[in-house]
Amino acid sequence: MALAVACSQPGRAWTPADLYEVLVHRPTPAGTWARSLRARKGTDYTVAKLADILGRAREFVARQPLIEQRTDAIVELTRLRDTIEDHPWRGRTGGTDQKNLTARLRLCELSGGFDHTVSVRHLAELMGCAKSTAVTSNQRLIELGYLKLIRVGKKTEASRWQLAAPTFSTATHRRRAFPAHPLTDRDRGAGSVPETRRLHVLMAHDAFHAWAHGTSGARLLAALDETEGVGTAELACATGLHPSTVRRRLVALIDDGLADQNEGLYYLTATAYTYEEKCQLTQAAVSKRTDGYGAKRKLRHAHDRAQYAKWQAFRAERRRADRPRPSLVPEGVIDPESGELVDFRWSGWHLSDPEHPTWFDDTPPRSAFAV
């Protein structure tokens, strides 16, 4: 079915005869099942079966949205971003999963599609968390249907992933209580800034380490705006955090000069952060004593990669080492000077390769080694 879907894409639609020729008449590994089916049930049954598979594949491809260029892929990613922002990411694990998807959305926008390649260590650096946290988050997202593992990474090659829209209806999971924030003067263009785009700038900073403002602080700061005030109830509904957590995190953000309060509404300070320098965030990280934790994480991951590369080289060197290989033909069977057979118990054997002796016929007799 996967091959039939690939052969049914726009511009390369195969006929049933083409699929039958490739899978049955050619000795390809992918056609082993088709050739076995023809041997068991005949040609007519195999032709009808492959035609039915190709027909269902065409129907499946016709139901999918057509992506012809990079712009179409960006549009689909924008729809997925809206789905992610409408999902109620509750609790600590929910915030971690939201950061995971936020980092992956940025990678998908750079690659121009839902497929992307990223290692666990690089993902942890983008999320601003430990490697084990990123691993458990990947497992939860796979169960939710947001993520699919296409290829497991090997050696120095990272794993290949694919973002996917979940099967549940987003209307039942909608939690946004207020419209998207308007753009400020430093933002270009017109429209609105999605919460995940703000979160992408904040989540890996040292000011939002687990020992500082944390993931909840980054999510709250991403939901604030300089001109549009937001109350604690709206923030709790928008982020999925408990109201007491929202109030506690807002007090910490105000103390570090990242947020302001006016008549019960909270605003983003004008000097909270910039996309280039993040000066105020750096001061907040210094006050929380978490400055430099992200750099230490990157150094640790670089050391792990170097150690893994050294281990791979050592393992390959061991395999290439000249170690004694077992020989099935013992010494004394063949005269080393004349090359004649001395032990006639080995009569009828090809002994040119002592490691792989072969019999003249298909199977040796039971009395081949009889004394």
Side-chain angles (χ1 to χ4, degrees):
M1 179 59 71
L3 291 173
V5 170
C7 299
S8 302
Q9 298 298 322
R12 79 171 74 143
W14 287 18
T15 63
D18 296 334
L19 186 63
Y20 182 85
E21 178 186 357
V22 171
L23 295 183
V24 178
H25 290 173
R26 298 183 184 180
T28 56
T32 304
W33 170 80
R35 292 189 293 271
S36 175
L37 184 65
R38 187 186 66 166
R40 290 184 286 109
K41 296 191 176 183
T43 303
D44 296 339
Y45 181 86
T46 306
V47 171
K49 185 68 174 179
L50 293 179
D52 178 67
I53 291 176
L54 188 61
R56 288 187 284 122
R58 289 178 177 177
E59 295 177 359
F60 174 79
V61 172
R63 293 194 302 266
Q64 306 304 315
L66 184 61
I67 298 178
E68 296 181 348
Q69 53 186 348
R70 183 183 180 88
T71 305
D72 297 338
I74 297 301
V75 170
E76 295 298 324
L77 286 173
T78 303
R79 295 177 181 175
L80 180 59
R81 184 183 295 274
D82 293 339
T83 303
I84 293 173
E85 293 187 351
D86 291 339
H87 186 91
W89 302 104
R90 307 280 182 188
R92 183 178 300 178
T93 58
T96 303
D97 295 343
Q98 188 183 20
K99 292 197 304 181
N100 192 337
L101 291 175
T102 300
R104 293 180 182 275
L105 280 172
R106 179 56 179 168
L107 295 176
C108 289
E109 289 180 348
L110 294 176
S111 63
F114 289 91
D115 295 354
H116 59 282
T117 303
V118 63
S119 64
V120 177
R121 291 184 177 88
H122 186 203
L123 180 64
E125 294 172 3
L126 295 177
M127 296 171 56
C129 64
K131 184 182 68 174
S132 58
T133 305
V135 172
T136 55
S137 177
N138 290 337
Q139 295 297 328
R140 290 193 298 266
L141 291 176
I142 291 175
E143 295 176 359
L144 286 175
Y146 279 102
L147 192 63
K148 295 179 181 178
L149 178 60
I150 300 178
R151 185 185 67 247
V152 180
K154 297 180 180 179
K155 295 184 179 180
T156 57
E157 182 181 2
S159 300
R160 189 164 186 82
W161 304 84
Q162 183 183 54
L163 284 181
T167 55
F168 56 78
S169 175
T170 57
T172 59
H173 292 268
R174 180 167 293 276
R175 48 83 177 168
R176 180 174 292 171
F178 53 94
H181 304 296
L183 286 171
T184 56
D185 294 336
R186 65 169 176 269
D187 298 315
R188 292 177 295 179
S192 60
V193 179
E195 180 184 337
T196 51
R197 292 194 181 276
R198 295 179 181 269
L199 183 62
H200 173 74
V201 181
L202 302 173
M203 61 185 183
H205 198 273
D206 294 336
F208 301 100
H209 191 272
W211 297 346
H213 292 286
T215 302
S216 57
R219 297 174 64 190
L220 288 173
L221 195 63
L224 295 179
D225 187 74
E226 294 181 4
T227 57
E228 182 181 357
V230 186
T232 56
E234 294 176 337
L235 287 173
C237 183
T239 58
L241 299 173
H242 196 272
S244 61
T245 304
V246 172
R247 288 189 291 268
R248 184 175 66 255
R249 291 298 185 182
L250 286 174
V251 170
L253 291 174
I254 292 174
D255 292 340
D256 284 337
L258 300 177
D260 288 332
Q261 181 184 11
N262 186 12
E263 297 181 356
L265 299 179
Y266 295 89
Y267 300 84
L268 181 70
T269 58
T271 59
Y273 67 92
T274 59
Y275 292 110
E276 294 82 11
E277 299 179 358
K278 310 176 186 176
C279 299
Q280 194 70 24
L281 291 179
T282 303
Q283 296 179 6
V286 172
S287 64
K288 298 295 183 182
R289 299 181 180 180
T290 56
D291 186 30
Y293 277 42
K296 292 180 181 179
R297 183 185 295 110
K298 293 182 179 180
L299 290 176
R300 183 169 62 252
H301 290 169
H303 178 265
D304 293 343
R305 296 187 185 99
Q307 291 298 323
Y308 181 74
K310 291 174 60 177
W311 179 77
Q312 288 286 346
F314 173 73
R315 187 179 180 184
E317 187 66 25
R318 283 192 58 187
R319 290 179 176 178
R320 291 192 298 265
D322 295 331
R323 292 179 294 176
R325 303 184 65 178
S327 178
L328 299 179
V329 181
E331 297 182 0
V333 175
I334 300 177
D335 190 354
E337 297 181 358
S338 62
E340 297 179 355
L341 183 65
V342 178
D343 192 346
F344 292 97
R345 292 179 298 178
W346 288 85
S347 299
W349 288 84
H350 287 292
L351 303 179
S352 57
D353 187 3
E355 299 176 0
H356 304 90
T358 57
W359 183 252
F360 283 108
D361 300 330
D362 294 336
T363 57
R366 292 181 178 272
S367 60
F369 294 95
V371 180

